[in-house]
Amino acid sequence: MTIGMKKLSSKTLKKVYNRHYQLLGCFNYERQMSTGYAWTMMPAIRELYGDDEVRMKAGVKRHLEFFNCATTPSPFIIGITCAMEEQCASVPEGEFDVASINSVKAALMGPLAGIGDSFFWGTFRVIGVGVGAPLAVAGNILGPILYFLINFIPSEIVRRVGFKIGYEGGSEFLTRISEDGTLNKLTEAARIMGLVVIGAMMASMVNVNLVTVLNINGAQVVLQEIFDAICPKILPLGLTFACYWGLQKRYSGTVIMIALLVLGVLAVALGLL
């Protein structure tokens, strides 16, 4: 028995794509982005299984399983999921391995999360801050505008193209670039670029200037000059690594920010800064 190939309408695909922006709208530590993923897939599930309540409920439960990936490359996975749901809906229940849908999601979310984090959290966002923050500090309106554009444009292109490629059979594409080493090269290049930008930001955006002057046998010694002679910007570097150490020790960002605030107040009160 065959049902006939079911295809999602362009209107439904557009709804699915628009909903993916809410992937992080409901997050929990047990299944991460699962609720957002199920919400994203609901228009497709309704259109494909709307005449079969049992299969529709199964489809919703299927996408409430664990899912966690960077949001920017996630439309690639969502596109593949839509294509697989079409295949599932086109045959009688039991003739399609529904477990394969979540298997593909699980297989893709790791590598794509690495790409998304490297490029969009560790590269474009950092570059955007590096370019925009100095302008914003100087009161130039171009600061936030450039930050937004550097962040938004690459992300939006990847989202839209990724969804289209995924829906049209992107699993083969990902397999190909993984096998020929392109995926690893892109990820490594993005990581290196992000580290270079972060290193430059540490020197330009983190300021620790000691105003303490020591009087030794009548000679005045400026403490800041001693540190600069050892290594310029060594204090901002040390402060940055101290914050990184705190994060590695599982201290929350809020705790570290409060500690920096208290440290700054005490340092000024003692005349060190």
Side-chain angles (χ1 to χ4, degrees), residues 125-235:
R125 187 174 68 121
V126 174
I127 292 174
V129 171
V131 173
L135 293 172
V137 170
N140 193 325
I141 189 62
L142 282 176
I145 293 175
L146 288 175
Y147 170 74
F148 173 78
L149 292 177
I150 292 172
N151 252 336
F152 175 78
I153 293 177
S155 175
E156 190 62 20
I157 291 174
V158 169
R159 290 172 191 263
R160 292 183 180 275
V161 174
F163 183 73
K164 181 179 179 181
I165 292 176
Y167 180 66
E168 295 176 354
S171 56
E172 297 178 2
F173 169 76
L174 188 63
T175 300
R176 186 170 66 253
I177 66 172
S178 296
E179 291 176 349
D180 65 14
T182 303
L183 180 61
N184 290 334
K185 292 176 182 177
L186 287 173
T187 303
E188 185 64 19
R191 186 181 296 114
I192 293 171
M193 184 180 295
L195 291 174
V196 170
V197 174
I198 290 173
M201 287 184 63
M202 286 164 51
S204 62
M205 301 301 297
V206 182
N207 292 312
V208 180
N209 294 312
L210 299 177
V211 297
T212 304
V213 178
L214 302 178
N215 195 324
I216 302 176
N217 295 328
Q220 291 187 334
V221 178
V222 180
L223 204 56
Q224 181 64 47
E225 292 179 353
I226 295 177
F227 284 106
D228 288 341
I230 297 172
C231 178
K233 298 292 184 178
I234 191 173
L235 292 178

Side-chain angles (χ1 to χ4, degrees), residues 23-52:
L23 275 173
L24 286 172
C26 184
F27 186 94
N28 66 78
Y29 285 100
E30 180 183 2
R31 298 187 180 185
Q32 305 284 303
M33 301 158 68
S34 61
T35 307
Y37 203 98
W39 165 255
T40 299
M41 289 298 300
M42 275 306 299
I45 297 297
R46 285 198 188 99
E47 182 171 335
L48 294 173
Y49 307 109
D51 56 350
D52 189 332

Side-chain angles (χ1 to χ4, degrees), residues 230-249:
I230 297 172
C231 178
K233 298 292 184 178
I234 191 173
L235 292 178
L237 178 65
L239 182 61
T240 302
F241 277 117
C243 294
Y244 179 74
W245 175 84
L247 292 172
Q248 292 295 101
K249 290 295 182 180

